[in-house]
Every structure is written in C-alpha cells, then in structure tokens.
C-alpha cells in the first residue's frame, strides 16, 4: 500500500484520542504510513488511501467532530476503505461482548459502506470538560475502561485487511 492511512477522531476529554494514537501506532508497526489527526483538523482526504474514523459516545451520539467529519467527507469516504470505532462505555462491557454501533453511527457506516465498526471502552477521569462528565467523575463512576490489547488486535485486523486488499 503506497498511500497513507488516516486515523481521524473526535474526542472531548482525550480518551478517544488515546485510542486513535494506539491504532495509528499498530498500523505503523505493520509498515503502513499513518497520520493520526483530530477530525476537525482534516480538510482533504486526497492523500489517504484508507481511513479509520472514531468518535467518543456522549448520550448515545458520536462526538460532534466525528459526526461533522463523516458528513463533510461523505463522498470521499465512500470511495476508499473505511473502518469506524466508537468509545465510551464506562464499564468493562466493551471488552466482554460486541456492542453494536449507535443508530447515528450505523447510518454513517451504511452510507459510506464502512468495512467494520467496533466499540471500545472509554475513559473519564481527572479534570474533564462538561457538566455531566464532571458529575460522573465526582460521583465515582468514572475510570479507564480502554482495553489496549483489544484495540491493538482490532487495528492489526485492519492492517491485515488493507494488506489483503492491496489498497
């Protein structure tokens, strides 16, 4: 694969950014050229042969920057291989079973014919943005539920798919 892979993400409190960075590192270890960037900073997909797009889940919706990215680049995304991920459950459920995409993400996946979607556990701890997020942390219901082994395995599968497709 000669073209770069873009790993774009929408993250408010940094958890999804950390997941995206890990996905990018796994893809790079497999020999792929990778850019990991906030979704809001990406204006053109011309240089990318494939895209991984992720967003944090807030109240059952993808983070705003991920939604906007998917809408703004809909045509370009439909022309290349795309994988989607969501992050958010503040419990171990995402490591224990497959969690289907929320309806809005399912619509994005269908519109662009995404090759796959997965949901990873999220992280919400420390100083966080947003009143509800602060309430969750202050009530003791936050924590870090990201499973980097699961994330790495999923990213390795994306790399295998890209190698197999010769994209």
């Amino acid at each position: 694969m000669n073209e770069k892979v873009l790993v774009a993400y929408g993250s408010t409190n940094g958890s999804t950014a950390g997941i995206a960075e890990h996905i990018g590192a796994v893809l790079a270890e497999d020999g792929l050229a990778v850019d990991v960037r906030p979704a809001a900073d990406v204006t053109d997909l011309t240089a990318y042969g494939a895209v991984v797009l992720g967003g944090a889940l807030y109240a059952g919706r993808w983070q705003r920057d991920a939604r906007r990215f998917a809408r703004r680049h809909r045509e370009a995304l439909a022309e290349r291989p795309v994988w989607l991920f969501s992050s958010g459950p503040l419990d171990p459920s995402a490591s224990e079973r497959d969690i289907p995409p929320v309806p809005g993400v399912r619509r994005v996946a269908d519109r662009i014919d995404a090759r796959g979607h997965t949901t990873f556990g999220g992280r919400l701890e420390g100083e966080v943005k947003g009143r509800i997020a602060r309430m969750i942390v202050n009530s003791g219901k936050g924590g870090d539920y990201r499973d980097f082994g699961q994330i790495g395995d999923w990213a390795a599968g994306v790399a295998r798919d890209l190698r197999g497709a010769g994209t």
Side-chain angles (χ1 to χ4, degrees), residues 45-102:
L45 299 183
T46 305
Y48 302 105
V51 176
V52 175
L53 173 60
L57 293 172
Y58 296 98
R61 294 184 74 198
W62 236 9
Q63 196 267 3
R64 181 184 68 225
D65 293 339
R67 290 192 320 265
R68 288 180 176 170
F69 178 95
R71 186 172 50 250
R72 183 174 49 242
H73 299 289
R74 178 179 170 180
E75 289 180 17
L77 291 169
E79 297 171 350
R80 53 190 38 82
V82 178
W83 288 263
L84 306 174
F85 72 90
S86 301
S87 69
L90 294 176
D91 59 37
S93 62
S95 294
E96 298 169 352
R97 61 183 168 79
D98 183 40
I99 298 174
V102 297

Side-chain angles (χ1 to χ4, degrees), residues 13-67:
N13 286 300
S15 174
T16 306
I19 292 170
E21 291 289 345
H22 190 68
I23 291 169
V26 171
L27 295 175
E29 286 171 14
D30 198 66
L32 298 168
V34 181
D35 283 342
V36 179
R37 299 180 56 198
D41 293 352
V42 179
T43 58
D44 184 22
L45 299 183
T46 305
Y48 302 105
V51 176
V52 175
L53 173 60
L57 293 172
Y58 296 98
R61 294 184 74 198
W62 236 9
Q63 196 267 3
R64 181 184 68 225
D65 293 339
R67 290 192 320 265

Side-chain angles (χ1 to χ4, degrees), residues 1 6 9 19-20 28-29 31 50 52 72 89 96 105 115 117 122 127 134:
M1 177 171 159
L6 172 65
Y9 61 88
I19 292 170
E29 286 171 14
V52 175
R72 183 174 49 242
E96 298 169 352
V105 176
R115 293 195 178 182
H117 172 273
E127 295 295 319
R134 282 191 299 277

